[in-house]
Amino acid sequence: MASLVARGAFILFEGVDRCGKTTQSTKLVEALKSSGVNAELWRYPDRTTSMGQMINSYLQSKTEMDDGAIHLLFAANRWEKRAAMEAKLAEGVTLVVDRYSYSGVAFTAAKGIPGLDLEWCKSPEVGLLRPDAVLYLNMPVEAAAARGGFGEERYETSDLQKAVRANFDKLREDWWTIVDATGTVDEVHAACRAVADDAVAKCVAGAPYARLWD
Ligand code: NYM
């Protein structure tokens, strides 16, 4: 049985490319810290590890890789950080995370490779720590693309992003918070801050850990 312990909160940002995740996650960490919450910003893929460097090289189209193999590598990049993540939370550090397993599933399944459907994509993620709160920055792909266009990396095309968005719609769970990401930076931040404060308070009061996809 999961024990009730005071711990940090795991707060996750998800959404299509260019929806504002990096701006909002950075701003949220600054805001939490300035109100005395011990918080850190993490992101996936974590490109600093040797697996992360392989992922980085794939995303930059410097290497090719089988679609199933790169999917498992993205998942393995979360597994290799799992113990460190859990240790941080147990120390009372709140982790604001920019992308996680939901991106992993939404992106690979968007490729439409026979056999690599949502269920297949979820399986290597099962058992990873489940976030305490998901802030899904909801933005139509056209609005995201209008923010300066997609970049040079693999996956940064409107068609793929539309399929990713449709997959996020299928993955959404009722405990997620859907934030209208078309608002101003401050409006979006205020919505995210309220959810984060609530998650932090619940975890300080003692909250069990949950696992994907329970
Ligand atoms: N991505 C990200 C995946 O395909 N699978 C994953 O598990 C994760 C975490 O990598 N286009 C994709 C989504 C992005 C790209 O992310 C890199 P970012 O946030 O642009 O660094």
Side-chain angles (χ1 to χ4, degrees):
M1 215 181 90
S3 56
L4 290 178
V5 287
R7 60 174 176 86
F10 173 4
I11 299 164
L12 173 64
F13 279 91
E14 285 284 14
V16 295
D17 285 344
R18 303 199 67 82
C19 68
K21 286 185 308 302
T22 304
T23 304
Q24 290 297 333
S25 53
T26 306
K27 204 168 160 65
L28 180 59
V29 169
E30 282 164 9
L32 288 171
K33 279 183 172 169
S34 62
S35 62
V37 176
N38 191 355
E40 284 182 15
L41 178 60
W42 285 38
R43 59 162 46 231
Y44 289 100
D46 179 337
R47 304 188 194 215
T48 64
T49 69
S50 52
M51 283 193 235
Q53 282 163 22
M54 290 168 75
I55 294 170
N56 184 48
S57 163
Y58 172 81
L59 287 171
Q60 294 181 355
S61 300
K62 290 181 183 152
T63 48
E64 294 303 318
M65 211 181 300
D66 174 82
D67 293 296
I70 187 65
H71 181 76
L72 296 174
L73 203 49
F74 272 111
N77 181 236
R78 284 180 275 283
W79 281 102
E80 69 175 334
K81 303 294 291 187
R82 180 183 65 111
M85 244 180 139
E86 295 192 19
K88 280 279 176 189
L89 293 168
E91 278 169 32
V93 180
T94 281
L95 301 180
V96 174
V97 180
D98 184 351
R99 290 195 194 283
Y100 194 61
S101 304
Y102 303 106
S103 276
V105 175
F107 275 81
T108 303
K111 293 173 165 181
I113 311 290
L116 307 195
D117 58 10
L118 289 175
E119 287 314 308
W120 184 90
C121 291
K122 277 181 182 178
S123 48
E125 313 283 344
V126 171
L128 285 170
L129 207 56
R130 194 175 91 161
D132 295 296
V134 176
L135 292 159
Y136 177 68
L137 300 191
N138 192 24
M139 176 172 276
V141 170
E142 293 75 13
R147 293 183 156 185
F150 296 118
E152 299 294 307
E153 284 201 334
R154 225 185 263 264
Y155 305 154
E156 298 188 5
T157 66
S158 287
D159 285 349
L160 199 281
Q161 297 289 327
K162 280 182 188 157
V164 167
R165 188 162 188 258
N167 284 338
F168 275 128
D169 285 342
K170 292 179 194 154
L171 293 169
R172 275 185 195 183
E173 295 181 36
D174 54 11
W175 52 275
W176 288 25
T177 301
I178 312 302
V179 180
D180 176 6
T182 61
T184 66
V185 169
D186 287 340
E187 283 164 355
V188 175
H189 172 66
C192 295
R193 179 72 205 266
V195 174
D197 284 345
D198 184 52
V200 169
K202 281 188 181 139
C203 291
V204 167
Y209 289 104
R211 306 268 154 201
L212 292 174
W213 244 275
D214 282 349

